[in-house]
Amino acid sequence: MEEAQKILAKAAAMNKTILPPGMLILDRTAKIDEHYPLLDTSLLSSARERKCSPENYLSSLFMIFSSKLRKTTLLLWFLYFSNTFSYYGIVLLTSELSSNQINCSSTVNFLKSAKDASLYRDVFITSLADLAGLVISAAILDRLGRKLTMKILCSLGFILLLPLVVHQNEILTTALLFGSRMFVMSSSNAVVIYSREVYPTSVRATGVGSATSIGRIGGMICPLVAVGLVRDCHQTAAIVLFEAVILLTGFCMLFLPIETGGKGLSDTTSLLNEE
């Protein structure tokens, strides 16, 4: 406070005047606020009403479908849907494919294999893929950029899941599911980070929130494929469907408009330049 007092005194001397009487204190703002409680309360309440008005939500929703953001929004909606569909599908496939005792012709044999201790071991091992996926995405995301990272990880997930089109032994199945889950998880993380950077601040919450909601739909649909088809002895059809979804995911990544790595965040759509 003494330094502030000296600066004010110096400024007053330069302007050939004197400071008003009194001492500079730290809680002057708090004392002023106490004299105008009704004014502050009304201003805060009106601000809350403006923030919570339905018109603001609708305008933000329309904004993400503007000419500059329409392509980005539709691509991110599909990427969230496909990544969630693929990830949770692989999680559910672990319990369906990790045991070599599955016999499609006998429900009893299937129930026995589900209770086998190896099933829980395989599920635990593949669950560690999430941790490995986080490490991989954190290690290469800033070095390779968002778009290139997504493409590489998505391609690796596709390659590792491909051998499961035919029945494999338990060890190989667990290893392939581990690797595929790890890379799909990493790719999903890259998409999430990209979506938070590509939208301007004014519509970021709306854009990311809507994409996340679409992704939840993919998570609800995938059990019908991962569990239903495999239990009906259609493992090949289930894997081919997941591979097709991952392939479309990688194809859509090619059309993402801009690379956000190393760039500042835009505040409004007028500052957003799409290629």
Side-chain angles (χ1 to χ4, degrees), residues 37 65 176 204 250:
F65 285 102
L176 291 173
R204 183 172 297 123

Side-chain angles (χ1 to χ4, degrees), residues 63-96:
M63 189 67 68
I64 64 176
F65 285 102
S66 63
S67 58
K68 290 185 177 181
L69 293 174
R70 186 184 304 113
K71 176 182 176 181
T72 301
T73 298
L74 294 177
L75 287 173
L76 286 177
W77 278 16
F78 180 78
L79 291 180
Y80 268 77
F81 175 89
S82 58
N83 278 326
T84 306
F85 181 88
S86 303
Y87 173 77
Y88 286 109
I90 294 173
V91 171
L92 294 173
L93 281 175
T94 303
S95 61
E96 303 297 326

Side-chain angles (χ1 to χ4, degrees), residues 8-21:
L8 292 175
K10 185 177 180 180
M14 293 176 61
N15 289 280
K16 298 180 180 181
T17 184
I18 59 174
L19 291 175

Side-chain angles (χ1 to χ4, degrees), residues 52-142:
C52 298
S53 62
E55 290 78 5
N56 288 337
Y57 292 120
L58 292 176
S59 63
S60 298
L61 187 61
F62 290 143
M63 189 67 68
I64 64 176
F65 285 102
S66 63
S67 58
K68 290 185 177 181
L69 293 174
R70 186 184 304 113
K71 176 182 176 181
T72 301
T73 298
L74 294 177
L75 287 173
L76 286 177
W77 278 16
F78 180 78
L79 291 180
Y80 268 77
F81 175 89
S82 58
N83 278 326
T84 306
F85 181 88
S86 303
Y87 173 77
Y88 286 109
I90 294 173
V91 171
L92 294 173
L93 281 175
T94 303
S95 61
E96 303 297 326
L97 302 179
S98 61
S99 176
N100 60 358
Q101 300 178 15
I102 293 179
N103 187 347
C104 292
S105 62
S106 175
T107 305
V108 176
N109 288 339
F110 174 79
L111 293 176
K112 288 182 179 179
S113 66
K115 296 179 181 179
D116 193 86
S118 63
L119 174 63
Y120 301 100
R121 180 195 61 204
D122 295 338
V123 171
F124 173 76
I125 293 174
T126 54
S127 297
L128 298 177
D130 291 347
L131 180 59
L134 291 173
V135 174
I136 291 176
S137 58
I140 67 175
L141 199 58
D142 290 330

